């Protein structure tokens, strides 16, 4: 065997990591596909549930419309796939954790596991907050504001895009405490600095809300106020979280 044919330990380790990553991705993907196939018979009902806030705000007897040829099939399938991903998310996160955990120190594992779990729960909480509270306010405002000469019949494709944008906006908003904790824990920004820029964060929250939400003050408040409150929560939790996940040597120095 020549020198070119020999595989170095570094290359072997790299290849083994790639194989492990591929296996973890395949396991996560299979779980999503299995859940998706199980939910497909209920795709229409799942979309009806997603559309319920809009239907409730429309005049009695009104329905949404589909302008594309395959849109009545494609949009419910997209919604079902997203629901399948959310249901399979614990297994997907477990695969991510199983891949990175062997390379972490004990104190780093104390940081990663709670962050992965809490960030998932916070994102889902943000989506639920948007669906059950924000949509009710937004859709009633829009439909009550519409002139009587207009027949409101939203297109399901446009509705899907709007809903996904709002879900992502509120889901990411509820991740603010995680962002604050990571910034402080990694030493990128000090806690004192984050407290000092509080006024700018408040202004930024209302600017983001004005861009993302429809142009009514209630919708903007429903995004901006939680963002500001969650920022304060992050400032309160960050010191406790950092102390609990410090390496033993760092903890001794802190004491």
């Amino acid at each position: 065997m020549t020198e070119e044919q020999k595989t170095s330990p570094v290359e072997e380790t790299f290849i083994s990591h790639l194989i492990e990553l591929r296996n973890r991705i395949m396991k996560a993907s299979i779980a999503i596909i299995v859940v998706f196939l199980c939910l497909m018979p209920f795709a229409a009902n799942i979309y009806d549930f997603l559309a319920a806030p809009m239907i409730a705000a429309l005049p009695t007897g009104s329905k949404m419309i589909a302008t594309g040829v395959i849109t009545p099939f494609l949009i419910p399938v997209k919604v079902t796939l997203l629901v399948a991903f959310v249901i399979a998310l614990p297994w997907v996160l477990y695969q991510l954790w199983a891949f990175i955990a062997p390379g972490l120190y004990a104190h780093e594992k104390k940081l990663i596991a709670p962050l992965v779990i809490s960030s998932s729960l916070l994102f889902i909480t943000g989506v639920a907050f948007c669906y059950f509270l924000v949509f009710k306010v937004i859709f009633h405002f829009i439909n009550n504001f519409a002139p009587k000469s207009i027949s409101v019949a939203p297109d399901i494709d446009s509705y899907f895009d709007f809903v996904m944008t709002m879900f992502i906006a509120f889901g990411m908003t509820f991740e603010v405490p995680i962002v604050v904790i990571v910034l402080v824990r990694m030493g990128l920004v000090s806690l004192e600095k984050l407290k000092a820029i509080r006024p700018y964060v408040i202004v930024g929250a209302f600017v983001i809300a004005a861009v993302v939400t429809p142009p009514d003050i209630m919708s903007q408040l429903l995004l901006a106020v939680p963002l500001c409150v969650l920022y304060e929560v992050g400032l309160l939790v960050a010191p406790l979280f950092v102390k609990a996940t410090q390496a033993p040597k760092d903890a001794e120095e802190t004491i």
Side-chain angles (χ1 to χ4, degrees):
M1 184 180 290
T2 62
E3 290 296 327
E4 289 81 10
Q5 293 174 321
K6 292 181 180 179
T7 304
S8 67
V10 175
E11 291 176 339
E12 289 180 354
T13 302
F14 179 71
I15 293 173
S16 66
H17 284 319
L18 286 180
I19 295 173
E20 175 70 10
L21 178 61
R22 182 199 63 183
N23 292 338
R24 296 295 177 184
I25 292 175
M26 288 182 61
K27 290 179 180 179
S29 301
I30 290 172
I32 296 172
I33 292 172
V34 169
V35 176
F36 171 72
L37 294 176
C38 293
L39 293 177
M40 267 304 293
F42 311 100
N45 295 329
I46 292 172
Y47 183 83
D48 287 342
F49 179 78
L50 181 69
M54 173 59 79
I55 298 299
L58 293 174
T60 304
S62 298
K63 294 183 179 180
M64 303 175 72
I65 62 172
T67 56
V69 177
I70 63 171
T71 304
F73 168 78
L74 188 60
I75 297 301
V77 169
K78 288 182 178 180
V79 173
T80 304
L81 182 59
L82 289 172
V83 173
F85 175 77
V86 172
I87 293 175
L89 188 59
W91 177 251
V92 174
L93 294 176
Y94 170 76
Q95 296 302 322
L96 174 64
W97 169 249
F99 177 72
I100 65 175
L104 299 176
Y105 293 108
H107 67 280
E108 291 174 332
K109 291 180 181 179
K110 292 180 181 179
L111 173 68
I112 297 298
L115 286 182
V116 169
I117 296 172
S118 58
S119 61
S120 302
L121 292 176
L122 284 171
F123 188 89
I124 294 173
T125 302
V127 171
F129 178 82
C130 179
Y131 177 85
F132 289 104
L133 180 61
V134 178
F135 282 171
K136 182 178 180 180
V137 174
I138 291 176
F139 296 150
H140 276 284
F141 169 80
I142 293 174
N143 290 295
N144 290 334
F145 186 81
K148 299 299 181 183
S149 58
I150 296 176
S151 177
V152 181
D155 176 60
I156 63 172
D157 197 2
S158 300
Y159 178 76
F160 175 77
D161 292 339
F162 174 79
V163 165
M164 289 302 105
T165 300
M166 294 295 289
F167 279 168
I168 292 172
F170 277 86
M172 295 305 296
T173 294
F174 275 66
E175 297 291 333
V176 168
I178 304 298
V179 175
V180 172
I181 290 171
V182 171
L183 289 175
V184 175
R185 179 63 184 86
M186 300 300 292
L188 299 176
V189 183
S190 66
L191 189 63
E192 290 72 22
K193 182 64 175 179
L194 291 175
K195 290 180 179 179
I197 64 172
R198 184 184 283 117
Y200 302 100
V201 172
I202 294 174
V203 173
F206 279 90
V207 171
I208 294 172
V211 173
V212 174
T213 62
D216 66 289
I217 188 64
M218 194 63 188
S219 301
Q220 294 174 12
L221 288 173
L222 287 173
L223 180 61
V225 172
L227 199 157
C228 296
V229 171
L230 290 166
Y231 184 78
E232 295 297 328
V233 171
L235 294 179
L236 292 174
V237 175
L240 303 175
F241 203 98
V242 170
K243 187 178 294 184
T245 58
Q246 281 182 321
K249 291 183 180 179
D250 294 336
E252 290 176 4
E253 292 177 0
T254 302
I255 296 174

